[in-house]
Amino acid sequence: MAGGNWTRVSEFTLMSFSSLPTEIQSLLFLVFLIIYLVTLMGNGLILLVTWADPVLHSPMYFFLRNLSFLEIGFNLVIVPKMLATLVAQDTTISFLGCATQMYFVFFFGVSECFLLATMAYDRYVAICSPLHYPVIMSTRTCAKLAAASWFPGVPIATMQTTWLFSFPFCGTNKVNHFFCDSPPVLRLVCADTALFEVYAIVGTILVIMLPCLLILCSYTHIAAAILKIPSAKGKHKAFSTCSSHLLVVSLFYVSSSLTYFRPKSNNSPESKKVLSLSYTVVTPMLNPIIYSLRNNEVKNALGRTFHKVLGGRNYRNSTAILRHN
């Protein structure tokens, strides 16, 4: 064939955790299934409560609702197929399916980086300019900031996915990962990928480091403002409004940075899988737990929501019994 010996790949095989014994894979399936259900339920509750409770109709919870929606999407793209590879040994994924999965992984990953930076800016305005907060963070401004957080994922995901899957693939079609991530798929390409690799490295640095710098800048000003508060109670209250976001940011950025910025000599496929699990599976489960356990407003709203649901159900049951009698 012109251009060298290569064959058109119509599907890929996800190696996932196939190197592990069957018993371990069955245990992993159970663990990941529980994590998946907890993630969907936790983020679903955050979506429901922040939308249904008027007390939580503020910019902070508007962005939290966006984050929960993003985490649900992230999980739906990755986890169901991973579970299928573990329980049904359905390891094949079509060429288009692999490209689609990679596109949405990029899209949600990039969007989360910028959304976390937007949430840091919201906390900066709330603490450093509390009197002007309602004016600065108006409904219209919040909508624009949310759109600005989601938008960068579209061109970045489109360009990187389209470019990578335009290369010819040859030899093995086995992707040594539990989802179609760029590095393991790139290893299957039989062409010069030097320019793409430079673009990917620069893009990853910008996508991770630019929002990270914005977050650091916001929290530098927040820390300075908190230190000026005279009372210990005031300092604690100000810090408590940021602690959940700080913990979520730390979990996401530490795990993603370790995944993509480790030296190749220390970056074995198995260690990369473990690190990838932390930001694709574990972190989305922990986020709603962190925001629920460390935030009294969310806990109180959850209580009010359950009370309304149960109260309404009891009222309907009582009415049905009276009518029956």
Side-chain angles (χ1 to χ4, degrees):
M1 282 183 147
N5 291 325
W6 60 275
T7 56
R8 180 172 178 80
V9 172
S10 60
E11 65 179 21
F12 294 96
T13 300
L14 294 173
M15 298 303 291
S16 192
F17 303 97
S18 58
S19 61
L20 298 175
T22 304
E23 296 79 8
I24 301 297
Q25 291 188 53
S26 300
L27 179 61
L28 286 177
F29 169 79
L30 182 61
V31 171
F32 293 147
L33 177 61
I34 292 172
I35 292 175
Y36 179 58
L37 295 176
V38 170
T39 300
L40 295 183
M41 184 176 68
N43 285 288
L45 279 174
I46 293 291
L47 284 173
L48 173 65
V49 170
T50 56
W51 175 78
D53 197 306
V55 176
L56 302 185
H57 287 182
S58 66
M60 174 180 173
Y61 298 107
F62 169 75
F63 294 123
L64 178 58
R65 188 158 61 246
N66 274 261
L67 181 63
S68 291
F69 182 80
L70 187 153
E71 299 290 26
I72 290 174
F74 212 171
N75 256 242
L76 289 175
V77 168
I78 295 175
V79 181
K81 183 59 182 177
M82 181 178 67
L83 293 174
T85 63
L86 288 170
V87 69
Q89 299 300 307
D90 180 18
T91 59
T92 59
I93 184 170
S94 67
F95 186 90
L96 180 60
C98 188
T100 302
Q101 186 183 55
M102 185 181 293
Y103 175 89
F104 282 106
V105 167
F106 284 143
F107 172 71
F108 287 122
V110 171
S111 300
E112 182 158 358
C113 287
F114 285 96
L115 184 59
L116 290 173
T118 301
M119 294 173 77
Y121 173 73
D122 170 68
R123 293 299 82 206
Y124 158 74
V125 177
I127 292 174
C128 297
S129 302
L131 297 179
H132 299 96
Y133 181 72
V135 177
I136 297 174
M137 300 301 291
S138 63
T139 303
R140 187 175 181 180
T141 301
C142 289
K144 288 181 178 179
L145 287 171
S149 300
W150 286 89
F151 175 74
V154 177
I156 293 173
T158 301
M159 183 172 183
Q160 189 148 333
T161 305
T162 304
W163 191 355
L164 177 52
F165 281 87
S166 67
F167 285 120
F169 294 87
C170 58
T172 179
N173 66 342
K174 295 180 179 179
V175 178
N176 194 7
H177 212 332
F178 58 87
F179 69 95
C180 287
D181 198 10
S182 178
V185 173
L186 190 63
R187 294 190 188 101
L188 309 182
V189 172
C190 51
D192 183 9
T193 60
L195 186 60
F196 175 84
E197 290 182 57
V198 171
Y199 159 78
I201 292 172
V202 173
T204 303
I205 292 173
L206 290 176
V207 164
I208 292 180
M209 297 308 297
L210 180 60
C212 190
L213 288 173
L214 292 174
I215 292 170
L216 287 173
C217 183
S218 295
Y219 275 105
T220 299
H221 287 86
I222 288 171
I226 290 176
L227 290 174
K228 292 178 182 178
I229 298 175
S231 67
K233 185 178 180 181
K235 289 179 180 178
H236 179 267
K237 184 178 180 181
F239 178 75
S240 65
T241 64
C242 306
S243 58
S244 297
H245 179 256
L246 268 175
L247 190 52
V248 168
V249 166
S250 300
L251 287 170
F252 179 78
Y253 274 100
V254 168
S255 57
S256 58
S257 297
L258 286 175
T259 301
Y260 291 104
F261 293 145
R262 293 180 75 202
K264 286 189 176 181
S265 58
N266 300 327
N267 201 9
S268 70
E270 299 308 315
S271 65
K272 187 175 176 66
K273 289 177 190 177
V274 174
L275 288 170
S276 296
L277 281 172
S278 61
Y279 78 91
T280 59
V281 179
V282 178
T283 300
M285 176 194 69
L286 293 177
N287 288 353
I289 296 174
I290 291 168
Y291 272 101
S292 298
L293 295 180
R294 300 180 64 86
N295 192 306
N296 288 327
E297 286 185 334
V298 174
K299 285 190 286 187
N300 293 335
L302 281 169
R304 287 192 296 271
T305 302
F306 283 125
H307 184 266
K308 287 180 182 178
V309 172
L310 294 175
R313 183 179 297 175
N314 291 335
Y315 174 78
R316 289 192 297 270
N317 291 339
S318 300
T319 303
I321 292 171
L322 288 172
R323 287 177 179 175
H324 179 73
N325 293 333

